[in-house]
Amino acid sequence: MSPGVEAIRWQDGRLELLDQRVLPGQELYIPCHTSSEVADAIIQMVVRGAPAIGVCAAYGVVLAGSAAYTLHQDKWKEHVATAIAELANSRPTAVNLFWALDRMEKLIVTLPDSENPFEALNSESKKIHLEDIAANKKMGKLGAELMAESASPFAVLTHCNTGSLATGGFGTALGVIRQGWNEGIINHVYADETRPWLQGARLTAWELEREGIPVSLNADSAAAHIMKQGDVKWVVVGADRITANGDVANKIGTYSLAVLARFHGIKFMVVAPSSTVDLSLTSGDLIPIEERAGEEVTCIKEYQLAPDNVGAFNPVFDVTPADLIDAIVTEQGVVLKPTTEKMNALLG
Ligand code: MRU
C-alpha cells in the first residue's frame, strides 16, 4: 500500500470509507453496503477529492452489479443503470466521477446478461484504484523534478486536501510535496485552512503532521502576506476538472492564489491525473460549479457564527484560467504554460 492513510478500504466486496467529516478528531471507518450508500457518502463528503470519489463510484457500481444480479438475474443491467445515474448525481464538478462511471459502463456493455458480473466489475474497479495510486507516484516524481529546477530548498503553499485522503492513495499535489520533501527540495509547507469546509486545517495539516513534514497552517487570507515574504517558490494544487485549453477547476480560493502567485513572481503548478482532464469542454466557463448549503459558511459544525437568517453564497470550486498556470503535471507528462494545442499534443 502507498504511504499515508487509507481513505478507501475495499476487500472481498466490502467497502469502508474513512469518515473525513470527523477527522482529525476521530478515525472512524463507515461501511457502505449499497451503491446508494456510496452516493450518499459522496454527497455528505464522508469521502471527497476528485480521484477518491471516482474510485468510490467504481466500487459503488460493483455493489450495484452484485446486488442487481442476486435480485433480478438477467435484468441486472437495467438496475445497475439506475444505480449509475444515482452515483452520477452525487457531485457535479469533479470529472473523475463521470470518467470512472463511464469506464464501468463500457465494461458492462461487454458482459453477458446471464452471468454474475461481480468478478469482472470487481477487477475493473480495483484496476481504477491501483492505476490512480500509480499515477500519483509518477506525478510525484515529475512534479518534484520540475520543482528541482528552482534553487532549493524552499517552501511551497498548497490549498485544500490533495493527499492520500483525496485519491486512491499517495496524493496529487500532496504527492509532489511529499516527494519534494523526501528529496530535500522542499523544507516547509504552508497549508491554507480552506474555508469553509476546512480541508486544509482538518485533513492536509493532519496528513503532513503525521508524516513529520514541516507544515504551518494559515488563514486563506494570509496567502498574499506569505507570498510577499519570499520563501515560497511554488504554489502546488490539485484539480477537479481541467478543460481542453488548460483551464482548471479546483477548490474555491485556488483562482485567487494563482493571481497572487503571478503578482509575486511565484510559480503555479497543478497536479492531476489524466482522469481529471475533460477534453470535451473547450474552456473552464463550461464546467459546472457545485454550490453547497449556506450553513457550511454560516456555521462551523453545529456552531453558528453568522446572524440568524443571513443569506450565504457557497460556490465550492472556482476556475483558474490557463494563462495563470505555469505547469500542469499529469502521469502522462507535463504541460508547461498550457494551451489547447499543448494539452491536445499530450492528452488528446
Ligand atoms: O470539495 P472537495 O474536498 O472534494 O474538493 C477537493 C479539491 O478541490 C481537490 O483539490 C481536488 O479534488 C483534487 S484532490 C487530489
Side-chain angles (χ1 to χ4, degrees), residues 45 48-51 91 160 162 166-167 172 199 239-240 250-251 317:
M45 313 238 313
R48 28 77 38 211
R91 291 191 77 188
C160 197
T162 59
T167 60
T172 57
Q199 286 93 335
D240 284 77
N250 190 47
K251 180 52 55 193
F317 298 100

Side-chain angles (χ1 to χ4, degrees), residues 86-160:
E86 187 186 23
L87 286 160
N89 249 326
S90 56
R91 291 191 77 188
T93 305
V95 79
N96 310 60
L97 173 73
F98 309 102
W99 170 88
L101 291 175
D102 188 53
R103 194 160 145 178
M104 297 303 279
E105 265 176 325
K106 285 195 172 116
L107 170 70
I108 288 170
V109 172
T110 68
L111 299 178
D113 291 342
S114 55
E115 274 174 35
N116 189 335
F118 176 79
E119 286 307 333
L121 296 177
N122 183 39
S123 117
E124 187 70 359
S125 60
K126 270 167 96 171
K127 245 202 230 162
I128 289 175
H129 193 165
L130 293 174
E131 282 173 17
D132 187 61
I133 298 171
N136 288 336
K137 292 195 172 156
K138 183 79 196 291
M139 293 186 291
K141 292 214 167 77
L142 292 174
E145 223 171 87
L146 186 61
M147 284 195 308
E149 291 171 13
S150 313
S152 62
F154 51 76
V156 294
L157 186 143
T158 192
H159 192 65
C160 197

Side-chain angles (χ1 to χ4, degrees), residues 268-339:
F268 193 88
M269 181 191 296
V270 175
V271 188
S274 52
S275 55
T276 307
V277 177
D278 182 357
L279 292 179
S280 76
L281 300 185
T282 49
S283 93
D285 295 342
L286 302 168
I287 299 174
I289 299 295
E290 179 181 9
E291 284 177 30
R292 294 182 68 88
E295 285 74 28
E296 289 185 356
V297 178
T298 57
C299 304
I300 291 192
K301 293 199 185 273
E302 283 77 41
Y303 185 77
Q304 187 180 321
L305 301 164
D308 286 342
N309 303 321
V310 73
F313 176 45
N314 185 21
V316 300
F317 298 100
D318 59 24
V319 176
T320 300
D323 282 355
L324 294 175
I325 297 168
D326 291 290
I328 295 179
V329 176
T330 76
E331 81 285 10
Q332 294 184 22
V334 176
V335 181
L336 297 175
K337 308 256 175 227
T339 59

Side-chain angles (χ1 to χ4, degrees), residues 5-324:
V5 67
E6 219 181 345
I8 306 166
R9 283 185 186 159
W10 174 259
Q11 212 162 22
D12 307 322
R14 284 176 52 84
L15 180 64
E16 287 184 340
L17 301 175
L18 181 57
D19 189 347
Q20 300 191 29
R21 298 168 304 176
V22 298
L23 284 172
Q26 289 176 63
E27 290 179 39
L28 182 73
Y29 280 89
I30 294 194
C32 290
H33 305 99
T34 65
S35 62
S36 292
E37 285 179 5
V38 177
D40 201 48
I42 295 172
I43 294 168
Q44 304 299 331
M45 313 238 313
V46 171
V47 62
R48 28 77 38 211
I53 65 179
V55 169
C56 286
Y59 286 136
V61 176
V62 187
L63 295 173
S66 142
Y69 185 78
T70 309
L71 294 171
H72 309 285
Q73 263 84 57
D74 63 0
K75 296 249 180 315
W76 67 268
K77 286 188 186 177
E78 286 169 37
H79 293 269
V80 173
T82 310
I84 288 178
E86 187 186 23
L87 286 160
N89 249 326
S90 56
R91 291 191 77 188
T93 305
V95 79
N96 310 60
L97 173 73
F98 309 102
W99 170 88
L101 291 175
D102 188 53
R103 194 160 145 178
M104 297 303 279
E105 265 176 325
K106 285 195 172 116
L107 170 70
I108 288 170
V109 172
T110 68
L111 299 178
D113 291 342
S114 55
E115 274 174 35
N116 189 335
F118 176 79
E119 286 307 333
L121 296 177
N122 183 39
S123 117
E124 187 70 359
S125 60
K126 270 167 96 171
K127 245 202 230 162
I128 289 175
H129 193 165
L130 293 174
E131 282 173 17
D132 187 61
I133 298 171
N136 288 336
K137 292 195 172 156
K138 183 79 196 291
M139 293 186 291
K141 292 214 167 77
L142 292 174
E145 223 171 87
L146 186 61
M147 284 195 308
E149 291 171 13
S150 313
S152 62
F154 51 76
V156 294
L157 186 143
T158 192
H159 192 65
C160 197
N161 172 267
T162 59
S164 301
L165 292 168
T167 60
F170 196 68
T172 57
L174 219 58
V176 168
I177 289 171
R178 184 181 277 131
Q179 185 73 27
W181 161 256
N182 287 340
E183 292 181 18
I185 302 164
I186 291 172
N187 58 12
H188 192 81
V189 183
Y190 290 97
D192 277 358
E193 64 173 347
T194 320
R195 278 279 288 151
W197 211 75
L198 301 174
Q199 286 93 335
R202 300 193 301 101
L203 310 177
T204 300
W206 182 70
E207 281 201 49
L208 291 173
E209 173 68 21
R210 70 205 293 276
E211 283 184 46
I213 301 177
V215 55
S216 46
L217 187 63
N218 57 271
D220 299 340
S221 46
H225 179 73
I226 291 168
M227 289 190 201
K228 196 176 169 196
Q229 287 176 340
D231 56 337
V232 171
K233 294 283 180 287
W234 283 87
V235 172
V236 192
V237 296
D240 284 77
R241 196 183 296 224
I242 303 176
T243 53
N245 65 342
D247 288 350
V248 168
N250 190 47
K251 180 52 55 193
I252 191 78
T254 304
Y255 177 23
S256 0
L257 289 178
V259 174
L260 291 174
R262 182 57 55 91
F263 182 80
H264 290 95
I266 290 169
K267 297 263 182 76
F268 193 88
M269 181 191 296
V270 175
V271 188
S274 52
S275 55
T276 307
V277 177
D278 182 357
L279 292 179
S280 76
L281 300 185
T282 49
S283 93
D285 295 342
L286 302 168
I287 299 174
I289 299 295
E290 179 181 9
E291 284 177 30
R292 294 182 68 88
E295 285 74 28
E296 289 185 356
V297 178
T298 57
C299 304
I300 291 192
K301 293 199 185 273
E302 283 77 41
Y303 185 77
Q304 187 180 321
L305 301 164
D308 286 342
N309 303 321
V310 73
F313 176 45
N314 185 21
V316 300
F317 298 100
D318 59 24
V319 176
T320 300
D323 282 355
L324 294 175

